[in-house]
């Protein structure tokens, strides 16, 4: 079929590659001049097959109230008269129950584990290099309360057969030797050894080149004006340059995915939640992480990417704004220098991106009420983690094949 993929981030490019491998005639459309120049550009670098959890969790509403008054807050809320924001927040709060958390986390783990297999296959088939490491993620606890609260995650990991290990202080130091300098600041951790790390920007660009070699066309610098729908079926898209025809369209526009869907009466509950990152050159490897450490107190991920440290995190709910706040930089600097002062902060690059979050934390993958129109979006902080599995799913669904894993509860129909 002739397929158009909207969006050239990690999700769009992996989707295009899989569709081209299946023999489709694929065009990718993006307003940027190249791939992975928005949310995929400088994310935290985690590929978290085991460390993936919904933000909507029991106790989060009370924690959120405390976070709002912290100096180095993991959550920043800038409320405005925005019905999309208010509706998204209300839906998210309704998912903060033990029952919903278990359902949502199970969905996420299923897709993440599928992506683990898909990424390994893709790496073997393409030989792509992207500062990758396969050494796991350490969720680091500074307090006994945090360690005890991790029991719900341990239960979910065990139920889904995901490998994990609960570590004491010495175990954390064995996993990340640089923590020996700050061992008095930690009490333990939760290790998910199958997790990986890597530079999403490098990976996406390399895969885009592989996709182009398969015949995928990339229409960069092109603004999408509308989806072209006639008699309940998608016929293509309308851009600022031309009308492009297609038999199928895949929307992989991240936080911007709801915008072209709204005129069609499709209400996609995806909202932008801004995250920030620093990329720091390493000057003392003995005080730098070996893999990814998630600082549970500040919800900050500290990741080794070759000769750099990537520090990413925070959740700012402020709409479609992408300004850089110095207070957010201060939080990132505080977390990394407190644990791993092996980088040259004075030479750090500061970045922000809009994560496409759903209220339940699970991406939206599958068909819509419009024939030929598919969604692959809403991955939140886990687009890099879930991209390869999501691409396999969308490839099967567009091609009319039975997916290898159950994808029915990932479709937009779950929202009614």
């Amino acid at each position: 079929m002739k397929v158009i993929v909207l969006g050239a981030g990690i999700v769009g490019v992996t989707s295009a590659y899989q569709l081209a491998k299946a023999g489709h005639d694929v065009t990718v459309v993006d307003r940027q001049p190249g791939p992975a120049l928005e949310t995929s550009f400088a994310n935290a670098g985690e590929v978290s097959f085991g460390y993936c959890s919904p933000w909507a969790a029991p106790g989060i509403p009370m924690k959120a109230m405390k976070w709002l008054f912290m100096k180095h807050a993991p959550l920043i809320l800038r409320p405005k008269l925005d019905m999309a924001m208010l509706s998204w927040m209300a839906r998210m709060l309704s998912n903060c129950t033990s029952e919903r958390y278990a359902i949502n986390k199970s969905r996420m783990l299923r897709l993440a584990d599928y992506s683990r297999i898909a990424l390994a296959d893709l790496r073997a088939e393409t030989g792509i290099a992207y500062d990758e490491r396969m050494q796991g993620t350490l969720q680091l606890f500074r307090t006994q309360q945090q360690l005890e609260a991790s029991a719900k995650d341990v239960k979910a990991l065990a139920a889904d057969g995901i490998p994990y290990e609960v570590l004491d202080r010495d175990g954390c130091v064995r996993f990340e030797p640089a923590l020996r300098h700050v061992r008095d600041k930690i009490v333990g951790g939760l290790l998910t050894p199958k997790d990986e790390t890597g530079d999403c920007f490098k990976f996406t660009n390399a895969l885009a080149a592989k996709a182009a070699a398969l015949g995928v066309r990339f229409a960069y610098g092109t603004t999408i004006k509308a989806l072209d729908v006639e008699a309940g079926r998608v016929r293509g898209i309308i851009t600022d340059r031309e009308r492009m025809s297609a038999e199928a369209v895949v929307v992989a526009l991240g936080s911007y995915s709801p915008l072209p869907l709204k005129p069609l009466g499709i209400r996609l509950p995806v909202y932008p939640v801004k995250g920030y990152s620093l990329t720091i050159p390493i000057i003392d490897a003995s005080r730098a992480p070996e893999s990814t450490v998630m600082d549970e107190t500040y919800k900050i991920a500290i990741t080794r990417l070759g000769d750099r440290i990537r520090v990413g995190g925070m959740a700012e709910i402020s709409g479609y704004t992408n300004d850089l706040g110095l207070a957010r930089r201060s939080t990132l600097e505080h977390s990394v220098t407190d644990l791993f002062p092996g980088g040259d902060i004075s030479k750090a690059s500061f970045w922000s991106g809009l994560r496409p979050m759903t209220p339940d934390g699970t991406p939206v993958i599958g068909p819509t009420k419009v024939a030929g129109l598919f969604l692959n979006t809403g991955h939140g902080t886990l687009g890099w983690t879930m991209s390869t599995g999501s691409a396999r799913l969308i490839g099967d669904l567009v091609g009319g094949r039975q997916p290898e894993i159950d994808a029915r509860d990932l479709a937009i129909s779950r929202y009614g």
Side-chain angles (χ1 to χ4, degrees):
M1 288 191 296
K2 196 171 185 180
V3 183
I4 294 175
V5 176
L6 306 184
I10 181 63
V11 173
V13 170
T14 51
S15 297
Y17 180 81
Q18 287 294 334
L19 288 161
K21 270 185 61 183
H24 299 295
D25 178 359
V26 183
T27 301
V28 177
V29 181
D30 197 286
R31 64 184 178 184
Q32 295 292 349
L37 289 175
E38 295 198 25
T39 305
S40 301
F41 181 70
N43 63 25
E46 301 170 86
V47 188
S48 307
F49 306 122
Y51 181 77
C52 63
S53 298
W55 287 12
I60 283 295
M62 290 302 297
K63 286 182 182 178
M65 293 300 292
K66 285 196 299 183
W67 286 338
L68 291 173
F69 298 100
M70 283 174 58
K71 179 182 178 182
H72 297 296
L75 173 67
I76 305 98
L77 176 61
R78 294 180 178 174
K80 55 179 69 176
L81 192 57
D82 178 350
M83 289 309 297
M85 175 192 284
L86 297 174
S87 173
W88 181 87
M89 290 176 65
R91 286 188 175 196
M92 182 182 177
L93 288 172
S94 72
N95 276 278
C96 292
T97 67
S98 297
E99 181 184 8
R100 294 305 308 169
Y101 180 85
I103 292 170
N104 295 331
K105 187 173 178 72
S106 181
R107 287 175 180 165
M108 295 170 77
L109 287 172
R110 182 201 320 148
L111 179 56
D113 196 53
Y114 184 53
S115 293
R116 176 182 62 81
I117 298 164
L119 178 57
D121 290 346
L122 188 58
R123 191 165 49 233
E125 139 192 340
T126 62
I128 289 174
Y130 50 96
D131 287 333
E132 70 277 10
R133 293 189 176 205
M134 293 80 183
Q135 295 174 229
T137 294
L138 176 63
Q139 186 179 4
L140 197 67
F141 305 125
R142 295 176 182 256
T143 69
Q144 188 64 31
Q145 184 180 14
Q146 289 173 347
L147 180 60
E148 292 169 359
S150 69
K152 67 180 185 303
D153 291 319
V154 167
K155 183 178 179 182
L157 290 169
D160 284 86
I162 307 297
Y164 70 91
E165 188 177 352
V166 179
L167 303 179
D168 59 12
R169 181 182 287 127
D170 290 337
C172 292
V173 173
R174 280 195 300 272
F175 177 72
E176 284 286 358
L179 290 173
R180 67 185 183 276
H181 301 290
V182 293
R183 56 178 293 122
D184 59 316
K185 296 181 180 180
I186 62 177
V187 300
L190 175 59
L191 174 65
T192 43
K194 295 293 186 181
D195 287 0
E196 303 177 11
T197 60
D199 188 319
C200 184
F201 176 75
K202 283 187 176 183
F203 180 92
T204 308
N205 275 266
L207 190 63
K210 298 286 185 183
L214 290 177
V216 175
R217 292 176 298 278
F218 288 87
Y220 295 123
T222 302
T223 301
I224 300 149
K225 293 293 188 180
L227 292 164
D228 187 5
V229 175
E230 181 184 329
R233 171 170 286 279
V234 72
R235 303 295 181 183
I237 65 169
I238 299 166
T239 75
D240 60 342
R241 298 183 176 189
E242 61 180 324
R243 180 193 179 279
M244 302 171 69
S245 63
E247 295 159 87
V249 174
V250 176
V251 179
L253 290 168
S255 296
Y256 295 89
S257 297
L259 305 185
L261 299 171
K262 190 174 180 180
L264 305 178
I266 300 173
R267 305 297 180 188
L268 175 65
V270 167
Y271 197 77
V273 176
K274 185 159 60 171
Y276 294 85
S277 77
L278 289 175
T279 306
I280 310 166
I282 294 173
I283 55 175
D284 181 356
S286 71
R287 289 178 175 263
E290 291 294 321
S291 189
T292 290
V293 171
M294 171 58 71
D295 185 348
E296 181 65 17
T297 298
Y298 304 108
K299 301 292 186 182
I300 300 292
I302 306 168
T303 298
R304 178 73 167 266
L305 294 178
D307 58 359
R308 302 162 294 153
I309 301 172
R310 176 68 55 76
V311 190
M314 288 175 289
E316 181 177 308
I317 305 172
S318 55
Y320 290 90
T321 60
N322 218 2
D323 55 310
L324 290 168
L326 291 180
R328 313 299 164 242
R329 178 173 184 143
S330 173
T331 298
L332 295 171
E333 289 184 354
H334 173 76
S335 177
V336 68
T337 56
D338 194 45
L339 296 174
F340 297 103
D344 187 350
I345 285 288
S346 68
K347 294 181 179 176
S349 56
F350 186 33
W351 171 88
S352 70
L354 301 179
R355 308 183 189 101
M357 299 294 299
T358 59
D360 58 16
T362 312
V364 182
I365 304 170
T368 67
K369 66 181 183 180
V370 176
L373 181 60
F374 296 84
L375 305 179
N376 192 4
T377 188
H379 296 76
T381 58
L382 296 166
W384 184 196
T385 297
M386 296 179 170
S387 58
T388 50
S390 299
R392 276 192 178 181
L393 285 179
I394 207 69
D396 286 339
L397 292 167
V398 170
R401 297 183 299 274
Q402 180 68 32
E404 295 175 300
I405 64 169
D406 189 358
R408 290 171 297 178
D409 56 359
L410 301 178
I412 192 171
S413 56
R414 74 178 185 263
Y415 291 111

